[in-house]
Amino acid sequence: MISIEEALTKILAEVSKSNLESVPLAESLGRILAGDVKADRDYPPFHRSAMDGYAIKSKDFDPSKIYHCKKEIFAGMESKLDPGEEIVKIMTGAVVPEGLDAVVKIEDSQEIESGNPISKVKLKSDQAFQFMNIALQGEDLKKGELVIGSGTVIGMSEISLLASLGFDIVPVRTLPKVSIISTGNEVVSVGSKPLPYQIRDSNSYSLIAILNRYKIQPNSIELVPDDELKITEALQKGLESDILLLSGGVSMGSMDLIPPLLEKLGVKKIFHKVSLKPGKPIWFGKKGKTVVFGLPGNPFSVQVCARIFLDPYIRSYLGMEISRPLRFPFYGKRKKKNSLPEFFPVIFETREKTGLRAKSFNGSGDIRAGLSSDGIALHPGEQSEISEEDILDFYPW
Ligand code: AMP
Ligand code: MG
């Protein structure tokens, strides 16, 4: 049986990369940037006043002097000094005119005489130094500088920056076509009233939850009974997608029909079974451009396998970095019986440091296992017991 790391390496070796498409800026949130973004000009594009006040020459500053001011400059205006002019009233966001280099804020000024066109003011500031209260041209970004790297998720700061840089259309990665098939004679749709021996399909929705993070909507969601013909038909259709996600039917039971049927359809098995709990029976393979994840049916197994194996595949497909586990101390004690590495749901607990507390659950079939947990932690295979302050790998959901 291969290890989690080996399985992940094999999965990532099969990634076919997505393409590039353009979307309107307002629709780009949550999508993945395809291509580096560089500054189209300096930012700020001009010496910008950071305050409402008076712009002067710093070296001529004199708090006892009465200045004669005849002009007010607002944001959105061109600004230029007339010959002999040594002060202008200026508003936040306005261009500081060439020849002036400090802004004394309005609170530090006193208007002695307001007049049209000339008002008389005194500046009571303690000092005025070069570039006081001025955001210098190019201090945030220089023209041509790399601002956002390819593979970045477009969130609030990114979309704001893209708008500043004039990207009304944004190059993003295309999303994969994904099909979901849940198998099992007992599995019925969410809207139906289950008979006593039936259960509602929840796995499809766990998978949708991971997909939706990346703005992926599945092309199809199907429920199929444990029937060779029906499964074969569903698989044939599902194999037209880029990613086929199956749940149920990959263990050793007599109704676990998925692996042989996939191989019959020409899907090459890359691995079956990984040394982990829950999710040991996971099957992974590929046919042409389509990768197939055969996940075991238990709800918590699906959630763990989706987080540990599917999420990195999607990230890599979209040209993103794979998220590495975080490391946190464990608060408590935990024992396990077998030698498999074991994922378990955890909740953040903040003492002096933030650590992880185990959430109790009844095993991989417990529909509440992950509820209100912050993620999953890994109990290493070789350790039968983990104790207070042991540092664990933590995977946020
Ligand atoms: P299997 O991997 O097919 O042996 O299924 C293992 C367990 O997961 C069984 O108890 C199934 O009833 C349950 N199960 C299978 N598919 C689903 C599903 N789509 N939603 C919720 N539970 C499921
Ligand atoms: Mg089954």
Side-chain angles (χ1 to χ4, degrees):
M1 212 165 17
I2 62 172
S3 69
I4 297 168
E5 293 72 31
E6 285 169 309
L8 207 51
T9 304
K10 285 179 189 289
I11 287 171
L12 294 177
E14 300 304 329
V15 172
S16 37
K17 284 266 186 294
S18 59
N19 295 313
L20 185 154
E21 66 178 339
S22 294
V23 296
L25 180 63
E27 290 166 29
S28 69
L29 265 183
R31 298 292 299 272
I32 313 305
L33 194 64
D36 292 340
V37 165
K38 295 184 177 166
D40 62 326
R41 54 178 181 159
D42 288 343
Y43 287 90
F46 48 83
H47 293 334
R48 182 184 68 207
S49 178
M51 290 282 174
D52 296 329
Y54 290 91
I56 56 165
K57 282 191 181 75
S58 60
K59 69 174 175 40
D60 297 343
F61 171 68
D62 178 357
S64 63
K65 176 170 170 176
I66 296 177
Y67 290 86
H68 291 205
C69 177
K70 56 170 192 165
K71 201 187 281 166
E72 192 164 348
I73 298 171
F74 299 99
M77 258 170 83
E78 270 193 295
S79 86
K80 211 169 154 207
L81 291 186
D82 294 328
E85 204 172 19
E86 56 176 3
I87 186 168
V88 294
K89 196 168 184 185
I90 194 161
M91 297 297 118
T92 304
V95 180
V96 177
E98 209 182 315
L100 304 184
D101 67 355
V103 172
V104 174
K105 59 180 192 276
I106 207 123
E107 295 87 333
D108 291 343
S109 72
Q110 184 187 9
E111 199 175 57
I112 293 171
E113 197 180 299
S114 93
N116 199 0
I118 293 180
S119 4
K120 295 181 179 168
V121 281
K122 276 184 97 171
L123 303 176
K124 302 177 300 175
S125 156
D126 299 337
Q127 54 167 355
F129 50 87
Q130 205 181 22
F131 307 135
M132 182 170 89
N133 295 324
I134 295 174
L136 290 184
Q137 175 170 347
E139 79 172 25
D140 299 335
L141 273 176
K142 292 268 182 285
K143 180 176 175 168
E145 195 176 326
L146 175 69
V147 200
I148 320 177
S150 187
T152 304
V153 190
I154 301 172
M156 182 169 70
S157 299
E158 290 76 16
I159 200 170
S160 162
L161 220 143
L162 288 166
S164 298
L165 302 189
F167 280 80
D168 52 345
I169 300 286
V170 185
V172 295
R173 294 290 197 143
T174 53
L175 301 176
K177 274 198 196 167
V178 181
S179 295
I180 298 177
I181 304 173
S182 286
T183 67
N185 286 334
E186 75 283 27
V187 181
V188 296
S189 69
V190 178
S192 48
K193 187 169 167 21
L195 295 168
Y197 47 85
Q198 293 178 324
I199 55 131
R200 296 190 187 92
D201 165 39
S202 61
N203 291 342
S204 301
Y205 298 89
S206 305
L207 296 171
I208 288 172
I210 295 268
L211 298 174
N212 281 6
R213 272 185 206 167
Y214 303 98
K215 297 276 151 148
I216 303 166
Q217 298 293 345
N219 277 36
S220 64
I221 301 168
E222 259 199 273
L223 303 186
V224 187
D226 298 309
D227 172 285
E228 289 202 14
L229 214 63
K230 290 191 172 133
I231 293 177
T232 302
E233 266 174 28
L235 291 179
Q236 273 168 331
K237 246 198 301 155
L239 285 169
E240 290 165 17
S241 300
D242 299 304
I243 304 174
L244 172 55
L245 301 177
L246 307 166
S247 79
V250 292
S251 310
M252 304 309 282
S254 48
M255 280 300 183
D256 293 327
L257 307 168
I258 298 290
L261 291 181
L262 280 168
E263 288 185 57
K264 230 189 219 171
L265 288 172
V267 186
K268 185 176 146 241
K269 177 178 88 176
I270 292 166
F271 62 77
H272 188 192
K273 292 191 185 162
V274 175
S275 169
L276 93 158
K277 219 183 136 190
K280 187 172 91 174
I282 182 174
W283 192 99
F284 179 73
K286 190 170 194 184
K287 182 181 184 187
K289 64 165 180 131
T290 311
V291 290
V292 182
F293 288 83
L295 309 176
N298 271 318
F300 192 56
S301 309
V302 165
Q303 291 167 26
V304 168
C305 288
R307 176 62 186 84
I308 300 301
F309 299 119
L310 174 61
D311 187 77
Y313 182 88
I314 295 173
R315 292 179 75 92
S316 175
Y317 180 95
L318 295 174
M320 303 171 73
E321 299 245 334
I322 310 302
S323 52
R324 301 284 162 206
L326 306 173
R327 309 266 294 155
F328 279 100
F330 182 59
Y331 291 153
K333 271 194 164 29
R334 186 176 194 275
K335 287 186 178 165
K336 72 178 170 63
K337 292 188 196 88
N338 61 45
S339 61
L340 295 175
E342 207 168 292
F343 283 102
F344 60 101
V346 287
I347 299 171
F348 281 133
E349 182 171 307
T350 299
R351 298 182 186 170
E352 200 174 326
K353 291 178 282 188
T354 298
L356 307 169
R357 183 163 51 80
K359 194 203 155 212
S360 64
F361 71 113
N362 291 331
S364 59
D366 182 351
I367 59 170
R368 293 200 305 175
L371 203 68
S372 64
S373 62
D374 293 298
I376 46 181
L378 186 61
H379 187 152
E382 67 282 5
Q383 246 173 288
S384 61
E385 188 172 329
I386 45 175
S387 46
E388 198 69 19
E389 303 268 341
D390 281 355
I391 302 293
L392 299 184
D393 279 353
F394 167 70
Y395 299 74
W397 278 124

